[in-house]
Amino acid sequence: MATATGTNTPAPAILTCSLLEWYDRHHRSLPWRVPPAVIAAGERPDPYRVWLSEIMLQQTTVGAVKSYFDAFTSRWPTVVDLAAADLDDVMKAWAGLGYYSRARNLKKCADLVAHELDGRFPQTEEGLRSLPGIGDYTSAAIAAIAFNRPAVVVDGNVERVMTRLHAMETPLPAAKPAIRAAVREMLPEDRPGDFAQAMMDLGATICTPKNPACGLCPLQVGCLAFREGKQERYPLKQAKPEKPVRVGAAFVAERPDGAVLLRKRPMKGLLAGMAEVPTTDWTARQDGISSRDGAPFPADWKPRGAITHVFTHFELRLSVFHALADIEAPEGHWWSDPASLSGEALPTVMRKAVAAALPHRRLTRRR
Ligand code: SF4
């Protein structure tokens, strides 16, 4: 086997070949993916489906995304269809995927592509990055996968593979430039799209965080971490400061017919425009209101335990209260009847609060 000069490590191009051969045989079958044999026959993936999947996959697992992807593409098969959709319907269909600013940007981006770009996504990283909701990673992923551009695509999976392959002693995030350089060295001219997906698949299925299946790995022959028997040592990470905790109370009011009182969050800020049950402010003060003193109106509020939800920048602990109430919905609120509740744009934290207050109720998602 050819090796890099003076070492026992195979040249990057040889590792790439081995990776692509593995991908040809063992790629994951995903609803948005065009298999390598079909790509080789000259077909390209639909940029709309690639874009949609990449936005959905930001911070979310493949398993969680599949059903949302199928629901979105059945209902809105093209970017023009999505642009014509009502924002509220898109938010409702997105509910549960988290990071709701992404859903709003998704709609903005669809509007822009449909109305200003004639329904066609830009093909370059730079062009893609100029669209709402598309950052460095996503623009690289779309450019590579949809347009076969030689873009360096590095997500958490790829970071893990590359830091192990090279036994990188620099912790993340400082190691990022070295990781990008190492990926660039391996980038094949003819199949950058398949290469990006092969790296993702390798990280997701073989080079897993715990117990990587090195015996099945196409990069094993060049992997320094494997050679040292220290696979799980990498990637090294800088210690993160603990997340601050915020507290508050959530009030689930239930009408005798089973309807639940909801309101819409402000259009700016966290979970903007989503639905919620009335809550107190979420405050970092540990003596903040987390009791029935913060109830939106007098009723026989009964405690129903507490829920915790971790956001990007803080952890939220909400005490949950429940009361039966038969009042007119206050201004800005509405009663959501049992048949409609599952389809409301309730973020996960609010679904947890409703589930704590109404444990007998199954909150399924509308598809
Ligand atoms: Fe990861 Fe093991 Fe492959 Fe190295 S040999 S890249 S540690 S799966």
Side-chain angles (χ1 to χ4, degrees):
M1 177 174 284
T3 61
T5 323
T7 75
N8 291 323
T9 307
I14 289 179
L15 292 178
T16 301
C17 251
S18 165
L19 177 69
L20 287 171
E21 277 171 24
W22 171 83
Y23 179 70
D24 289 341
R25 287 196 304 274
H26 301 293
H27 59 271
R28 287 178 295 176
S29 177
L30 302 172
W32 48 85
R33 176 174 283 172
V34 176
V38 181
I39 296 272
E43 205 173 295
R44 293 300 320 159
D46 176 354
Y48 168 64
R49 292 169 71 86
V50 174
W51 162 74
L52 185 61
S53 66
E54 285 300 332
I55 302 290
M56 287 183 167
L57 284 166
Q58 290 169 355
Q59 315 272 338
T60 314
T61 62
V62 164
V65 160
K66 279 181 183 171
S67 62
Y68 284 89
F69 181 84
D70 288 341
F72 265 70
T73 48
S74 305
R75 194 165 172 189
W76 302 299
T78 68
V79 70
V80 174
D81 297 319
L82 187 58
D86 190 78
L87 176 62
D88 275 349
D89 288 339
V90 175
M91 299 296 276
K92 282 180 188 174
W94 188 273
L97 266 179
Y99 297 89
Y100 298 93
S101 57
R102 275 195 255 141
R104 277 187 301 281
N105 278 329
L106 186 85
K107 184 68 171 64
K108 271 192 212 159
C109 184
D111 291 351
L112 200 150
V113 171
H115 300 133
E116 293 179 31
L117 301 176
D118 214 12
R120 283 197 280 271
F121 282 85
Q123 299 197 7
T124 63
E125 283 182 78
E126 198 187 1
L128 287 158
R129 214 169 19 238
S130 69
L131 300 175
I134 298 187
D136 291 344
Y137 168 77
T138 308
S139 59
I142 300 171
I145 298 169
F147 301 112
N148 210 31
R149 298 271 169 152
V152 175
V153 185
V154 180
D155 66 357
N157 283 327
V158 179
E159 285 176 350
R160 188 167 56 253
V161 173
M162 296 312 284
T163 53
R164 287 174 175 177
L165 190 61
H166 295 278
M168 288 184 187
E169 291 300 324
T170 310
L172 284 169
K176 282 175 186 278
I179 293 170
R180 293 183 64 78
V183 171
R184 192 173 288 113
E185 279 203 315
M186 287 180 69
L187 210 55
E189 271 176 28
D190 52 344
R191 299 178 63 188
D194 284 345
F195 173 77
Q197 294 174 95
M199 288 292 277
M200 291 172 188
D201 280 16
L202 190 75
T205 64
I206 301 286
C207 194
T208 47
K210 298 268 173 238
N211 300 318
C214 301
L216 302 174
C217 177
L219 304 185
Q220 190 213 81
V221 67
C223 181
L224 294 183
F226 173 76
R227 213 175 286 174
E228 294 169 6
K230 292 180 178 167
Q231 296 90 320
E232 290 187 24
R233 175 176 155 75
Y234 305 99
L236 300 179
K237 289 182 183 159
Q238 231 156 29
K240 278 189 193 159
E242 269 190 27
K243 289 195 182 194
V245 174
R246 294 190 195 172
V247 297
F251 297 91
V252 180
E254 185 184 15
R255 218 168 45 183
D257 65 356
V260 170
L261 189 66
L262 298 180
R263 66 184 183 189
K264 194 168 183 169
R265 290 182 59 82
M267 290 310 287
K268 281 205 169 2
L270 188 69
L271 307 175
M274 302 296 292
E276 65 174 6
V277 298
T279 74
T280 60
D281 286 343
W282 305 345
T283 168
R285 286 179 47 178
Q286 291 305 304
D287 61 350
I289 298 177
S290 56
S291 68
R292 68 192 103 199
D293 292 350
F297 53 85
D300 185 16
W301 293 102
K302 299 241 170 37
R304 287 285 188 266
I307 57 135
T308 298
H309 190 77
V310 181
F311 291 100
T312 314
H313 299 298
F314 66 94
E315 177 182 315
L316 177 64
R317 295 178 192 161
L318 288 178
S319 306
V320 180
F321 295 89
H322 169 259
L324 282 172
D326 198 1
I327 59 165
E328 281 289 311
E331 200 187 331
H333 296 58
W334 71 95
W335 287 103
S336 179
D337 61 52
S340 308
L341 192 59
S342 291
E344 299 283 3
L346 282 168
T348 304
V349 59
M350 289 300 147
R351 287 176 187 264
K352 286 184 188 173
V354 172
L358 305 169
H360 54 283
R361 202 75 80 78
R362 274 198 68 214
L363 228 57
T364 53
R365 293 205 173 84
R366 194 183 277 163
R367 293 272 179 262

